[in-house]
Amino acid sequence: AADPAVISPQDPTLLIGSSLVATCTVSATSPLKAEDLYWTLNGRRLPPTSYTALGPTTLGVALAHLNGSKQQSGDNLVCHSRDGGILAGSCLYVGLPPEKPVNITCWSKNMKDLTCKWAPGTEGETFLHTNYTLKYKLRWYGRDNTCQEYHTAGPYSCHIPKDLALFTPYEIWVEASNRLGVAVSDVIMLDILDVVTTDPPPDVHVSRVGDLEDQLSVRWSSPPALKDFLFQAKYQIQYRVEDSSEWKVVDDVGNQTSCRLAGLRPGTVYFVQVRCNPFGIYGSKKAGIWSDWSIPTAASTPRSERGAGGCDPKGGEQNTTLRRELKQFFGWVKKHAYGCSNLGIKLYDQWRVWLQKSHKTRNQVGKEP
């Protein structure tokens, strides 16, 4: 059977701000006339003032200054008979052409894959279903490849799991398309070796340094996935007190896989995390990309014995002096060296030797008549 009515235009795509005149024509076999019809848009009845009878069986409706579609599947424009029956429908797609995608950044986990993400232009919202395609090719002799796994690292991202070449730059770009057009990003050029990141450092252990109540020792392993590659690594540590959400970052750990945290509070639980930046892979000149932080590892510093009573007042005195001088020392180290440099630890050990000597001489001087 013929449709009871026909809407024209059928499923149009329009720019925001456009106007449209649509018509509903009832089939010749129907007893209905133009005056028996009305229109709805997304279920809301349109005012009769916007209607025009364009013939005995055709009712037109004028829509001015259209806003972006309420849903990406289009707005429903429907022609009804007087009793509410649906005679015909049309989808209006109202929106903007896509903008050129921007800010493409990519990273490779352990040199095995590549993930890229981008931003959808300055406005972003087109009101229409917009499709993004990440394309890539080897710079000089490659053919275009299309990335298949989208939304792996957020809404505008794609993951290329394997079969990537090293030592050859890739060209990478993103194409955005919808019913109103196509926009293509700038092409970025990258070498996988320049964008490597790793898993967080494994085997993070935090332990006490003897009875030193203001120190903890941290050690970890370098990323196992890169053990066969030529690379340098630098590490960062962050730590916080159990009941605080504020992390302190130790920046200059360098490429050592252990470090001593100093100047901590006695008898306190600390959470410690480590992350890794592999750089200079096979001589790459780029800065490298930080890994995620390791899962927090907890340890507590020894309790202070300050409150313990003792029989030897001299010993006690000596202890407080030692503590005071320790405080001064760490104040000095904080100013002149940084959290984890070897320098700090070497200095500290030298300084303790010096301190012991000076106590001996002081005690001997005290014994002389």
Side-chain angles (χ1 to χ4, degrees):
D3 291 331
V6 173
I7 288 184
S8 169
Q10 189 65 43
D11 304 342
T13 302
L14 304 152
L15 270 168
I16 285 178
S18 304
S19 298
L20 169 76
V21 173
T23 59
C24 175
T25 304
V26 199
S27 72
T29 56
S30 164
L32 295 168
K33 298 282 174 276
E35 62 264 23
D36 302 322
L37 311 178
Y38 70 89
W39 292 92
T40 62
L41 180 63
N42 289 334
R44 291 183 66 171
R45 201 164 177 150
L46 292 168
T49 50
S50 59
Y51 302 169
T52 317
L54 298 168
T57 56
T58 301
L59 182 67
V61 66
L63 302 169
H65 308 303
L66 288 162
N67 292 324
S69 292
K70 296 262 191 303
Q71 54 243 356
Q72 290 191 341
S73 54
D75 291 334
N76 297 312
L77 182 64
V78 178
C79 172
H80 299 260
S81 57
R82 185 178 290 160
D83 61 4
I86 292 174
L87 301 174
S90 173
C91 274
L92 304 189
Y93 297 97
V94 186
L96 298 167
E99 287 192 65
K100 173 173 147 177
V102 291
N103 299 347
I104 302 174
T105 53
C106 304
W107 61 94
S108 171
K109 196 78 168 283
N110 303 324
M111 281 162 73
K112 291 187 171 67
D113 65 358
L114 191 67
T115 301
C116 297
K117 63 180 189 179
W118 59 91
T122 49
E123 294 303 318
E125 181 57 86
T126 63
F127 300 95
L128 300 174
H129 175 68
T130 301
N131 214 24
Y132 292 90
T133 310
L134 180 90
K135 298 206 166 166
Y136 62 103
K137 71 186 195 73
L138 283 168
R139 182 172 178 190
W140 292 292
Y141 43 79
R143 55 182 182 80
D144 290 10
N145 296 290
T146 302
C147 181
Q148 304 296 332
E149 296 179 15
Y150 290 87
H151 312 301
T152 49
Y156 303 105
S157 66
C158 197
H159 174 241
I160 304 162
K162 55 181 198 306
D163 303 331
L164 290 157
L166 302 176
F167 305 108
T168 309
Y170 276 94
E171 290 179 8
I172 294 172
W173 66 99
V174 177
E175 293 175 5
S177 62
N178 68 17
R179 291 165 164 270
L180 284 169
V182 175
V184 182
S185 73
D186 294 339
V187 175
I188 66 161
M189 205 86 69
L190 69 80
D191 194 314
I192 302 289
L193 301 180
D194 294 340
V195 293
V196 179
T197 182
T198 67
D199 297 310
D203 310 325
V204 177
H205 295 285
V206 184
S207 53
R208 295 178 174 188
V209 183
D211 293 330
L212 290 173
E213 59 198 37
D214 61 344
Q215 298 199 19
L216 287 171
S217 163
V218 188
R219 57 192 167 79
W220 58 90
S221 302
S222 61
L226 292 184
K227 69 174 193 304
D228 301 331
F229 297 107
L230 257 98
F231 76 103
Q232 293 161 282
K234 53 186 179 196
Y235 298 96
Q236 246 182 11
I237 291 176
Q238 64 173 14
Y239 62 96
R240 66 177 173 84
V241 177
E242 183 177 23
D243 51 13
S244 158
S245 56
E246 225 171 281
W247 293 92
K248 266 195 176 158
V249 177
V250 180
D251 238 338
D252 60 329
V253 184
N255 63 355
Q256 354 175 50
T257 53
S258 66
C259 154
R260 216 187 268 186
L261 301 177
L264 306 178
R265 299 207 305 238
T268 304
V269 175
Y270 282 88
F271 287 107
V272 181
Q273 291 178 295
V274 187
R275 65 177 182 167
C276 170
N277 180 335
F279 67 100
I281 295 185
Y282 290 126
S284 156
K285 298 280 184 287
K286 290 287 191 319
I289 297 171
W290 287 103
S291 73
D292 290 335
W293 290 101
S294 62
I295 293 162
T297 306
S300 68
T301 47
R303 288 208 166 284
S304 164
E305 266 123 50
R306 200 162 301 164
C311 294
D312 176 9
K314 260 199 188 138
E317 256 166 48
Q318 203 169 315
N319 246 347
T320 36
T321 324
L322 181 66
R323 270 202 199 90
R324 194 170 58 243
E325 285 168 336
L326 262 175
K327 249 192 181 155
Q328 286 167 351
F329 170 75
F330 282 121
W332 184 87
V333 164
K334 264 190 194 139
K335 262 193 207 134
H336 298 276
Y338 301 97
C340 264
S341 51
N342 277 335
L343 169 81
I345 289 165
K346 278 192 192 128
L347 265 179
Y348 176 70
D349 294 339
Q350 283 169 9
W351 184 80
R352 295 203 76 165
V353 169
W354 169 82
L355 200 69
Q356 280 164 355
K357 275 189 190 152
S358 72
H359 277 309
K360 267 187 192 152
T361 26
R362 203 177 302 158
N363 292 346
Q364 279 164 1
V365 171
K367 279 176 194 159
E368 278 174 22

